[in-house]
Amino acid sequence: LPISKRPACSGRLGPGSVSPDCAAWHEMRKDRLIGATLFLAVAALLAIGLWKNHGRHNTTRIAVVRRPRAVMGTTCSMAGVVLARDRARAEEALREAEWVLRDIEVRMSRWLADSEISGLNAAAAGREVPLSPDTLEVLRAAREASAQTGGAFDVTCGPILALGRRAAAKGALPQDRELNEARKVSRWELFELGDTAAVKHAAGARVDLGGITKGFAIDRAVDVLQRAGLDGGLVD
């Protein structure tokens, strides 16, 4: 603020009074003091607001969402919860989780001609078919689920499903003879799972992992989000 020289406050006009010059100087000094106080108050409020906003940015959690297209023939959405400043970490984890989903699909989908499962289904009886550890793990889990449910859940029903699709295409129910033949090769006894490969004991035996692969893939994708240290996550 500009500096003003205090006038000589002499020549009082009477008891309790001062000269006009002194009164004006005191009034100007009071106004400037009030102005300086208000300026400092505004500056302090602005500083507090900026500090709080910076702190809020560092402590606010956000959900980063990713929606991969056409994964395992269905819709897919994933999300990772992180602090706002960690968005890049969440995005990278979600990309890796999507890669895990697609990698499992490539190996276990019967709809893909080059998948491990398609190779097993097309193999001749007695031929050893190399499989990845993940595919063998899913097959073993499916076999255990079949045992626990008394065969209600059975991925070896591939021949029966194929028969149903052919019947739907023709618009007619399958004949009893066809259904009995499909049932004969829809049994776990026709599959032997080894440490690194599987063997079929009937050429017509088929597996369809559509009822279990998605759950396995979701578990693996969630593992990725957990290893990345996200505060929360979702794989749907």
Side-chain angles (χ1 to χ4, degrees):
L1 296 175
I3 299 175
S4 60
K5 185 175 181 181
R6 176 177 179 176
C9 295
S10 59
R12 290 182 177 275
L13 301 178
S17 63
V18 296
S19 68
D21 288 343
C22 285
W25 183 85
H26 281 295
E27 190 66 27
M28 180 180 64
R29 181 179 176 86
K30 177 181 178 183
D31 290 343
R32 288 182 176 178
L33 180 61
I34 293 174
T37 302
L38 290 174
F39 174 81
L40 291 175
V42 171
L45 289 173
L46 179 61
I48 292 172
L50 291 173
W51 175 78
K52 285 188 174 181
N53 184 64
H54 176 73
R56 188 180 302 113
H57 178 73
N58 287 337
T59 59
T60 298
R61 284 176 171 78
I62 60 173
V64 181
V65 179
R66 186 177 183 87
R67 293 185 174 87
R69 298 183 60 186
V71 179
M72 298 186 182
T74 188
T75 58
C76 178
S77 62
M78 301 185 294
V81 179
V82 290
L83 295 177
R85 64 171 183 253
D86 293 330
R87 171 182 287 274
R89 180 160 59 90
E91 291 174 345
E92 176 61 26
L94 292 173
R95 282 193 294 270
E96 184 180 350
E98 179 184 348
W99 181 89
V100 166
L101 294 178
R102 296 193 184 279
D103 179 60
I104 292 172
E105 179 183 22
V106 165
R107 285 181 282 153
M108 302 185 198
S109 174
R110 69 167 182 80
W111 296 100
L112 301 177
D114 295 333
S115 71
E116 295 178 4
I117 289 301
S118 292
L120 176 62
N121 287 340
R127 184 168 73 85
E128 190 175 79
V129 180
L131 298 174
S132 65
D134 281 350
T135 301
L136 284 167
E137 181 179 346
V138 171
L139 284 169
R140 292 190 185 98
R143 185 175 59 186
E144 179 65 21
S146 179
Q148 292 178 350
T149 61
F153 179 83
D154 192 351
V155 301
T156 70
C157 66
I160 299 175
L161 294 179
L163 178 61
R165 286 190 292 271
R166 291 195 299 270
K170 293 187 299 183
L173 292 174
Q175 298 179 4
D176 290 342
R177 176 184 55 82
E178 295 176 308
L179 188 55
N180 289 332
E181 290 176 356
R183 285 171 172 165
K184 288 179 182 178
V185 288
S186 298
R187 296 181 292 118
W188 266 110
E189 290 79 7
L190 299 177
F191 290 88
E192 183 179 345
L193 305 180
D195 293 335
T196 60
V199 177
K200 293 192 310 182
H201 297 299
R206 302 281 190 277
V207 292
D208 188 318
L209 299 181
I212 191 171
T213 300
K214 293 182 182 69
F216 177 81
I218 287 172
D219 288 345
R220 289 301 173 88
V222 168
D223 288 343
V224 170
L225 303 185
Q226 290 178 329
R227 288 197 302 271
L230 306 189
D231 295 334
L234 168 72
V235 181
D236 178 19

